[in-house]
Amino acid sequence: MSEPRTGAPVLACRRLCMTYHQGKTAVPVLLGVDLEVAEGELVAVVGVSGSGKSTLLHLLGGLDDPTSGEVDVLSRPMHSLSDAERGWVRNRSLGFVYQFHHLLMEFTALENVAMPLLIRRIAPAEARATAAAILKEVGLAERLHHTPGELSGGERQRAALARALVTRPVCVLADEPTGNLDRHTAEGVFELMLELNRIHRTSFVIVTHEPSLAARAHRVMRLQDGVLVLEG
């Protein structure tokens, strides 16, 4: 699936490099990655294990600092921001979904999804109403008051997706979001991401090992030899 890209990118990186150090040994992982993600675009990132896909997502999300290079979110350079300002950008402009749901087990689905809004100091009643609406949108209207332990694997991942989307971010960064799910459940979760992408024009950058899922993105980028190349 492909669509033309228009407008200024909501997320971009230029000449992104990352080198880890193990004792006296330098281990280069990213060697100059360039990427621009347009509004409403869904980009899949594929590559062999250990190629640096998760490292790239962490850098794009401002969770780690690159060795060199730049990351911009809505044209704001992340490297120039303080830790507090970077957290503000993450809370308002980016959403995160991981292979493991990372829901807080002692809280209900509703409470988990409302939490990013409460951190933003939204009034509790408004936060709960917004969270309930997005949970309904992902098919969990009847599971609002269930804890993660009372949800299936697919339902937990839907709740995690709702939590990522509740702040209406411009881009969601998803690291193997269906990796712990069986094929049928994974297909349903991925189809949900496609639907939400179409409805809300939220951009997605999705790391996946599933070629059949990646092929449904607007663009497929392969991370190899430390750089991103367009697949196909």
Side-chain angles (χ1 to χ4, degrees), residues 189-208:
V189 170
F190 198 85
E191 181 58 40
L192 177 62
M193 287 191 285
L194 293 174
E195 181 181 353
L196 294 169
N197 165 256
R198 287 191 296 266
I199 293 172
H200 296 296
R201 298 283 297 165
T202 303
S203 303
F204 280 79
V205 179
I206 303 175
V207 164
T208 180

Side-chain angles (χ1 to χ4, degrees), residues 151-179:
L151 302 177
S152 68
E155 288 172 336
R156 291 174 193 163
Q157 207 60 346
R158 285 171 179 262
L161 182 58
R163 181 184 56 192
L165 289 165
V166 72
T167 58
R168 298 301 185 201
V170 297
C171 187
V172 171
L173 304 173
D175 193 357
E176 292 285 356
T178 61

Side-chain angles (χ1 to χ4, degrees), residues 18-22 25-30 54-56 58-59 64 67:
M18 188 67 176
T19 298
Y20 293 105
H21 294 274
Q22 298 177 349
T25 304
V27 183
V29 178
L30 303 180
S54 294
T55 296
L56 175 60
H58 285 174
L59 296 177
D64 288 325
T67 304

Side-chain angles (χ1 to χ4, degrees), residues 106-120:
E106 65 270 30
F107 294 99
T108 65
L110 182 64
E111 291 166 336
N112 267 285
V113 174
M115 210 161 293
L117 297 175
L118 296 174
I119 292 172
R120 198 190 278 193

Side-chain angles (χ1 to χ4, degrees), residues 41-161:
E41 187 178 22
L42 194 150
V43 178
V45 177
V46 301
V48 299
S49 295
S51 59
K53 301 184 300 297
S54 294
T55 296
L56 175 60
L57 282 196
H58 285 174
L59 296 177
L60 292 175
L63 300 172
D64 288 325
D65 292 319
T67 304
S68 62
E70 299 178 358
V71 174
D72 293 349
V73 179
L74 292 175
S75 300
R76 297 190 67 179
M78 294 289 273
H79 70 274
S80 68
L81 304 179
S82 67
D83 288 343
E85 290 170 328
R86 201 178 294 188
W88 187 91
V89 170
R90 279 197 298 267
N91 181 261
R92 283 157 177 77
S93 301
L94 299 174
F96 299 87
V97 183
Y98 300 98
Q99 185 170 348
F100 184 73
H101 55 78
H102 291 299
L103 298 170
L104 299 176
M105 300 302 287
E106 65 270 30
F107 294 99
T108 65
L110 182 64
E111 291 166 336
N112 267 285
V113 174
M115 210 161 293
L117 297 175
L118 296 174
I119 292 172
R120 198 190 278 193
R121 299 177 185 264
I122 300 295
E126 181 182 350
R128 287 193 296 270
T130 303
I134 192 69
L135 281 164
K136 179 180 180 181
E137 202 167 348
V138 301
L140 294 179
E142 306 302 319
R143 312 290 273 170
L144 301 184
H145 303 294
H146 290 68
T147 63
E150 299 170 316
L151 302 177
S152 68
E155 288 172 336
R156 291 174 193 163
Q157 207 60 346
R158 285 171 179 262
L161 182 58

